[in-house]
Amino acid sequence: MSEQGARRGQEDDWWRQLYGEDGAEGGEGAGGGGAAGDAAQSGAAPPAGAPTGAGPADVGPAEASDTLDERVASVLRTVGPPGWGDRPPPQPTPADAPDRAAPAAPAPPDETPPRAAPAPPDETPPRAAPAPPDETPPRPEPARPAPPADETPTPGPVPPGEPPARRVPSPPPLPSEPIPLKATGPGARPREVARSAPPPAPAVTYIGDRPPTYEAEPAALPAADPAALDELVPDTALEGAQYGSLTLRAASQRGDSARYRGDVRRDALLTARFGAGRHALILVAVATGRPAVEGAHRAARDACGWIGSAVGRSYTQLAEDIRADRRGDLKAGLQRLTDRSYGKLRARALERGGPPEQYTAALRCLLLPADPDCRTRVFFGVGAGGLFRLRDGAWTDLEPVATDHGTPAPIPATDAPARPGPGLPHGPGTAEYPARPEPFLFHAAFGRPGDALLLCSAGLADPLRQEPAFAAHLADRWSTPEPPGLVPFLATAQLRAKGHAKDRTAVAVWEA
């Protein structure tokens, strides 16, 4: 017998000793196990119900399935708790199956495999004999991965005769600490940075060592006449437009003194567009009535209305003269229009029964062509006020020098009409009264990109000429690359200065 055969025989003897009496009764025959083996040795017929034939079922347990899994199961049935080794061997998963399907194993019989005879109560059950020194120890089972912490392991089958084990619920997970979220956005800054940042500079509301005497906000409303409610004037007027290369901003408001006393605003503002497209002409007129004169605001409004009507009737010829740069014809024609408007003011004073020299107003106007190819801006007017240009952050006073000093010559009578200027009306009714009491002013300026032209009444022109800090503040606010909006423009125009509490009107034109 070879060494391998001898080792196999020793293993069979070890297993027979392990099974106790069944192994002793079985002997070394092929059917050594149970009543079937005894019947085969004695030649008697097997008892009823015993399997017959020479198939695989006749082979003893040692030769029937001599595999490592069967040996391990036998050991567990012997040394472990009852029913521990009765688990079926693990089936291979589809991933572990070979490419060619193996033949299916025969289904286990319905009968429970023979168990070892129970040992007497006072005897200790036999223990497995130690393995021979030269025998290879059984291969350990591969370690199974531990179930996750949040999963409960699946319990195995409950052995027969024992109560099922109670499942102990796993303790709830401990609350995790909140994760600090980092805020985003323009207002989400760390507190340290916000605390160390300097506070925003307060808005400048006045210029000088101390604030003006009057409050900044209106206090009293003007008195109203129930029969003449259409003569009420709002505290503030605001206007804006954009045509071609120019942007227009205009604002007019009551002065601090008028707001405190409840006087009506004596400054009047008119913005009008005549025509459409490239041939349109924009007129901006600013008028200021005489101080401390009843009805001064009516005179200012009438002056703006009458000059607006005269320009509107002649806007086509005026726009052509501006584009052609015919300054001589423009000056002559606009002077006639201005004289006619002042003649109507004097006539209205006579109708009201008041002195003509009081029912008058200072009038200053701008003509702005809407043609983007024409950058000529024409100024004309009579009386106090200002005309300035802001270029490269510096102001330039463009107030023209009066050329006709004193009272101008009377306008000829209707039977000897004067030679009319181009596009200007003439005929009866144009020379009924003497003209303006002050010199006529005219100036034509060419706007460059980035320039700002400022036309204003005396209430803004005086602090702009007399207060350097006032002029510097306006230059800083209005030297931005883009023109300001209506509200920022008004906020800058109403900058206060002590000693300057008159009504003020500002008209600014930015060149693109």
Side-chain angles (χ1 to χ4, degrees), residues 238-311:
L238 193 62
E239 190 62 273
Q242 183 175 359
Y243 288 94
S245 60
L246 64 88
T247 300
L248 173 67
R249 298 288 183 264
S252 179
Q253 70 171 17
R254 281 195 298 170
D256 293 345
S257 177
R259 285 179 168 181
Y260 177 77
R261 292 186 172 91
D263 296 339
V264 68
R265 173 165 53 92
R266 294 182 294 106
D267 276 8
L269 172 66
L270 172 68
T271 55
R273 173 180 61 87
F274 305 104
R278 300 172 62 93
H279 302 285
L281 184 65
I282 300 170
L283 168 69
V284 184
V286 177
T288 304
R290 290 292 181 95
V293 174
E294 184 180 358
H297 64 284
R298 300 190 194 97
R301 187 175 57 183
D302 289 344
C304 289
W306 285 330
I307 194 64
S309 299
V311 171

Side-chain angles (χ1 to χ4, degrees), residues 280-374:
L281 184 65
I282 300 170
L283 168 69
V284 184
V286 177
T288 304
R290 290 292 181 95
V293 174
E294 184 180 358
H297 64 284
R298 300 190 194 97
R301 187 175 57 183
D302 289 344
C304 289
W306 285 330
I307 194 64
S309 299
V311 171
R313 287 189 293 266
S314 308
Y315 83 92
T316 302
Q317 185 63 44
L318 291 172
E320 291 180 1
D321 291 344
I322 293 174
R323 282 193 296 267
D325 198 18
R326 292 192 285 263
R327 301 190 181 188
D329 294 341
L330 282 171
K331 181 178 180 181
L334 293 175
Q335 181 174 348
R336 287 183 58 83
L337 293 179
T338 304
D339 290 344
R340 183 180 183 186
S341 298
Y342 274 95
K344 289 184 175 182
L345 281 177
R346 296 176 64 87
R348 177 64 59 86
L350 295 178
E351 293 175 0
R352 291 177 176 270
E357 61 272 9
Q358 292 188 359
Y359 196 83
T360 187
L363 179 64
R364 308 177 78 81
C365 304
L366 272 181
L367 291 178
L368 309 171
D371 188 354
D373 297 331
C374 181

Side-chain angles (χ1 to χ4, degrees), residues 61 111 142 161 165-166 183 222 236 247 266 391 427 484 493:
E111 299 178 2
R166 178 180 298 177
T236 304
T247 300
R266 294 182 294 106
R391 176 178 293 176

Side-chain angles (χ1 to χ4, degrees), residues 149-150 152 168-174:
D150 56 348
T152 304
V168 179
S170 58
L174 296 177

Side-chain angles (χ1 to χ4, degrees), residues 149-160:
D150 56 348
E151 295 184 5
T152 304
T154 304
V158 180

Side-chain angles (χ1 to χ4, degrees), residues 16 22 25-41 57-63:
R16 291 190 186 97
D22 292 342
E25 292 177 4
E28 297 180 1
D38 297 342
Q41 291 181 3
D58 298 337
V59 183
E63 284 81 37

